[in-house]
């Protein structure tokens, strides 16, 4: 479904990504794990072309998207839930969700909105409130709901558990599995490697902008190097 081939990204003199290659098959949850500064967020931002690459190629459903503008990438079916939620603070929950559908011109936006409210009942209760009045967990749900309003085939999730209480983390990860089960492919960037590997089908380990390990998520979870470096053993 998505193929990243030898992608490199620089921030000035800093090499953020160096010849990164990986692929995602339709229907999978694929996790990217690694320490802070490993390049995980940069990969998502490069797929969305928020951060341009200096080399390599990204193909989505057999179409090259490396140079496409971000809104065109959203139209093709890739949507990103950014790190730190990035909700529109002064806009209402409803308005935030409507912004998620800004590339759409069909007549099913209202019915999709209802589906979001069924998946996230707390958002329905607070739909007229400004987004800044929501708790961290509710803002994460809103960011995910907003991304789903574009009807993505591939959802990019950046640190969905960041700053959330353990009980909420479990809830968010359960929702991610439900979204995947309903037909959406997921690329998950997550520092909570234990949780990420517990729900992913496959995973890639990044270190200083390079893929150093890859494989079945359960195999990586039992790999001694991964356990020592990322699972606190």
């Amino acid at each position: 479904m998505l193929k990243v081939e030898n992608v490199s990204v620089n921030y000035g003199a800093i090499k953020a990504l160096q010849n990164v290659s990986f692929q995602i098959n339709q229907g999978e949850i694929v996790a990217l794990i690694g320490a802070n500064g490993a390049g995980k967020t940069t990969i998502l931002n490069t797929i969305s072309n928020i951060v341009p690459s200096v080399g390599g190629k990204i193909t989505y459903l057999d179409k090259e998207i490396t140079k496409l503008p971000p809104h065109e990438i959203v139209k093709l079916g890739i949507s990103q839930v950014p790190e730190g939620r990035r909700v529109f603070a002064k806009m209402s929950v409803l308005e935030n969700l409507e912004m998620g559908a800004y590339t759409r011109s069909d007549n099913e936006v209202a019915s999709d909105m209802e589906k979001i409210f069924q998946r996230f009942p707390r958002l329905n209760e607070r739909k007229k409130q400004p987004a800044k009045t929501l708790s961290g967990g509710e803002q994460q749900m809103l960011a995910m709901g907003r991304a789903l309003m574009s009807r993505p085939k591939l959802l990019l999730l950046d640190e969905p558990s960041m700053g959330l209480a353990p009980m909420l983390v479990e809830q968010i990860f359960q929702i991610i599995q439900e979204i995947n089960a309903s037909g959406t492919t997921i690329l998950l960037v997550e520092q909570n490697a234990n949780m990420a590997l517990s729900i992913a089908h496959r995973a890639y380990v990044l270190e200083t902008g390079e893929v150093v390990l890859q494989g079945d998520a359960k195999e990586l979870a039992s790999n001694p190097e991964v356990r020592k470096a990322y699972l606190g053993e």
Side-chain angles (χ1 to χ4, degrees):
M1 186 182 204
L2 184 85
K3 200 169 185 183
V4 174
E5 298 174 88
N6 299 313
V7 165
S8 297
V9 173
N10 299 337
Y11 294 127
I14 298 164
K15 292 184 186 302
L17 297 178
Q18 300 177 66
N19 296 316
V20 167
S21 295
F22 66 91
Q23 65 181 42
I24 302 168
N25 303 314
Q26 200 148 354
E28 287 188 309
I29 298 177
V30 173
L32 295 178
I33 62 171
N36 258 340
K40 304 184 302 296
T41 294
T42 300
I43 284 178
L44 297 194
N45 287 340
T46 306
I47 293 168
S48 297
N49 203 16
I50 297 163
V51 172
S53 59
V54 293
K57 180 177 165 186
I58 300 170
T59 312
Y60 169 70
L61 297 174
D62 299 325
K63 178 185 173 76
E64 187 176 349
I65 61 167
T66 320
K67 306 290 185 194
L68 282 184
H71 70 277
E72 291 293 339
I73 291 171
V74 174
K75 273 186 184 176
L76 286 175
I78 300 177
S79 196
Q80 184 171 343
V81 180
E83 183 182 0
R85 314 341 164 209
R86 303 281 182 90
V87 295
F88 300 107
K90 291 180 182 177
M91 291 166 66
S92 71
V93 167
L94 200 60
E95 289 166 335
N96 268 270
L97 293 174
E98 285 169 350
M99 285 298 290
Y102 82 103
T103 58
R104 291 175 56 182
S105 55
D106 57 274
N107 298 321
E108 295 178 40
V109 172
S111 67
D112 282 358
M113 187 87 72
E114 278 312 306
K115 287 176 192 168
I116 298 297
F117 288 142
Q118 284 165 17
R119 194 182 290 282
F120 303 107
R122 296 293 287 272
L123 298 183
N124 192 27
E125 291 165 19
R126 289 157 172 69
K127 61 185 171 188
K128 292 182 179 173
Q129 287 180 219
K132 65 181 177 184
T133 66
L134 303 184
S135 68
E138 288 162 354
Q139 287 191 13
Q140 184 62 51
M141 290 172 191
L142 178 56
M144 289 167 75
R146 180 181 61 188
L148 289 171
M149 283 299 293
S150 69
R151 284 197 169 175
K153 297 183 189 80
L154 173 62
L155 187 63
L156 313 179
L157 283 166
D158 196 355
E159 303 285 6
S161 77
M162 187 184 277
L164 300 184
M167 203 167 78
L168 267 175
V169 171
E170 285 196 17
Q171 191 183 345
I172 291 292
F173 273 80
Q174 191 179 338
I175 290 165
I176 292 168
Q177 286 178 289
E178 288 168 8
I179 291 167
N180 176 243
S182 67
T184 305
T185 306
I186 289 170
L187 178 57
L188 171 66
V189 160
E190 180 56 63
Q191 270 197 299
N192 186 335
N194 249 326
M195 286 296 283
L197 293 175
S198 75
I199 69 163
H201 300 102
R202 293 187 304 110
Y204 294 85
V205 180
L206 266 101
E207 280 180 17
T208 57
E210 296 181 72
V211 173
V212 293
L213 278 172
Q214 59 177 289
D216 178 85
K218 287 180 176 60
E219 285 173 15
L220 284 178
S222 58
N223 178 309
E225 286 177 52
V226 174
R227 296 195 74 81
K228 188 177 174 186
Y230 305 108
L231 306 179
E233 291 191 7

